[in-house]
Structures are given as structure tokens and as C-alpha cells.
Amino acid sequence: QVQLQESGPGLVKPSETLSLTCTVSGASIRNFYWSWIRLTPGKALEWVGYVHHSGITNYKPSLKSRVTILVDTSRNQFSLKLTSVTKADTAVYYCARGMCRDNKCYFEPDLWGPGTLVSVSS
Amino acid sequence: DIQLTQSPSSLSASVGDRVTITCRASHNIEKYLNWYQHKPGKAPNLLMYGASSLQSGVPSRFSGGGSGTEFTLTISSLQPEDFVTYYCQQSHSTPLTFGGGTRVEIK
């Protein structure tokens, strides 16, 4: 059974860097797309970006200057770094796996982690 | 960015009712539309992909339809566990975007 689990600090100070890790168990991180998505306090879902196991990335344009998503195949993990955070970055952050069907893989998610709340506050 | 507008934003219904949620896209997204169910504190769950394909393990009371700019999610007979929030999401182009959500409440 494939499972995803987010980990990282639950509190980050304004202007600092938010760092999260997603650990994948039950399957290899290879051959899939992996995304970070966040749920704002207003209950809006916002896609942050994805990484492919090959290292290819794609980020939401409005966040692109502050986001880095990396994959670590040796640890079966991928990570999110978001710099210069503000209160607007307070959200529940989810990691998610892109779906594969008919021997082709896509970036839209079919499996999500339970999420981790990150609050930005001094 | 492609905007997705869900309606209604909330609805009240009873167990056994048939309900339909609509998702409208700002541009033609063909059939690149997925639906997720989200229970508070849990991971969102993929219900439908490609507008009308049922994800493995999802009960057959869920169905989806539409193409282009208008899509629907129908629950044929609401069960107690269905009273949660539903989101549509387009994968036609990046950035991936989501609808604002529809909360299904018990009447």
C-alpha cells in the first residue's frame, strides 16, 4: 500500500524559509510526477508545483521566484522550499503523487498525503 | 490561468437524495477535469478523472460528465459518509487549478 507523509516545522517566521519533506513508502519514487498542493484557511486548494523523478520541475508562476521542489531518489523523498514567507503562505500543505494509467504517467494527483499545517507567524 | 467555478458553493440534502455539482471552466479544457472528495483532516480522495472515468475503488453512485467548459459530478443516492466537500480540478494546462469547492451538508 503506497503512502505519502509530509514532515517539517509547523511554525515559520515571516521572511524565513518554509521547508517540508514528503516521504513515499510502498512504492518507488521513480517514474511518477510528485506535487505540492496547499489548502488555504479560506478552503481554497492551490497547486504549488511538481517534480518528476528525472528532476524536471514546473511551478505555479506566481510562486516561481520563491519555490524549489527537489526529488531524492536515494531516500524515496521529495521536498519543498518556499522562501520569504508571509502570512499568506499559512496553509495545510499536501504532497501528492501523479496518476499513471495505460502505461503513461500524468501530473494530476491520484494519491495525497494527510497534510501538514504550516503557520507563518512571528 | 484557467479559472474553475463550482456551483453551488454549498448545498443541503438528505440521505438517499440525488445531487449534482457543476464546474465551469474559463477556457475549453476538453475532458481534462478531475473530481476530489475531501473529508476534514484527511487526504483528498480522487473520485473521477478524465471528466467521466470512475477511479478504482470509488462507489458507483458517483458519476461525472461533460466536456469543454461545463462539467458535472452526480451522487445518485447520498450516503452518510458523502456529506463532505468536493473540488473539481483541471489538468489541461499548468498551473493546475481547482474549483472553489462545494460543501454538501445534511438537511
Side-chain angles (χ1 to χ4, degrees):
Chain A
Q1 180 182 354
V2 182
Q3 291 186 316
L4 284 67
Q5 182 65 57
E6 305 88 353
S7 60
L11 182 64
V12 182
K13 290 183 168 54
S15 81
E16 294 191 346
T17 296
L18 179 160
S19 296
L20 295 175
T21 297
C22 182
T23 300
V24 180
S25 59
S28 171
I29 204 165
R30 296 182 183 276
N31 301 319
F32 291 94
Y33 289 88
W34 303 93
S35 286
W36 287 97
I37 297 160
R38 63 188 186 181
L39 180 68
T40 69
K43 303 302 181 190
L45 282 169
E46 181 180 26
W47 174 75
V48 175
Y50 71 63
V51 63
H52 186 254
H53 78 97
S54 63
I56 294 171
T57 55
N58 192 319
Y59 303 135
K60 181 171 183 176
S62 61
L63 299 174
K64 189 174 182 178
S65 63
R66 300 194 290 129
V67 172
T68 303
I69 300 177
L70 297 174
V71 64
D72 185 340
T73 54
S74 65
R75 296 188 177 193
N76 229 42
Q77 296 176 331
F78 64 105
S79 63
L80 168 69
K81 287 193 189 304
L82 182 65
T83 62
S84 304
V85 297
T86 69
K87 286 189 185 298
D89 295 309
T90 292
V92 176
Y93 285 77
Y94 298 95
C95 59
R97 184 190 71 179
M99 64 179 77
C100 289
R101 55 183 186 271
D102 301 328
N103 293 316
K104 193 172 178 183
C105 292
Y106 305 87
F107 47 77
E108 64 259 47
D110 68 345
L111 183 68
W112 301 50
T116 187
L117 173 63
V118 179
S119 298
V120 178
S121 175
S122 54
Chain B
D1 298 5
I2 294 175
Q3 309 299 319
L4 295 179
T5 303
Q6 270 182 251
S7 60
S9 57
S10 65
L11 65 90
S12 295
S14 301
V15 173
D17 283 354
R18 178 185 180 92
V19 299
T20 297
I21 300 167
T22 298
C23 181
R24 291 188 172 86
S26 60
H27 299 78
N28 180 357
I29 57 171
E30 301 175 68
K31 298 194 77 172
Y32 292 93
L33 193 285
N34 308 308
W35 289 96
Y36 297 88
Q37 178 190 64
H38 190 206
K39 301 179 180 180
K42 303 280 191 178
N45 183 43
L46 177 67
L47 298 176
M48 313 289 307
Y49 63 91
S52 57
S53 296
L54 191 68
Q55 173 70 350
S56 175
V58 174
S60 59
R61 63 180 180 273
F62 292 93
S63 62
S67 66
T69 61
E70 187 152 338
F71 302 85
T72 57
L73 174 71
T74 297
I75 309 172
S76 61
S77 177
L78 276 170
Q79 299 302 299
E81 62 269 28
D82 300 337
F83 291 91
V84 291
T85 302
Y86 297 86
Y87 292 91
C88 59
Q89 176 251 318
Q90 66 80 21
S91 54
H92 178 271
S93 55
T94 57
L96 300 184
T97 49
F98 294 84
T102 296
R103 184 174 177 180
V104 178
E105 299 173 328
I106 298 176
K107 186 182 288 184

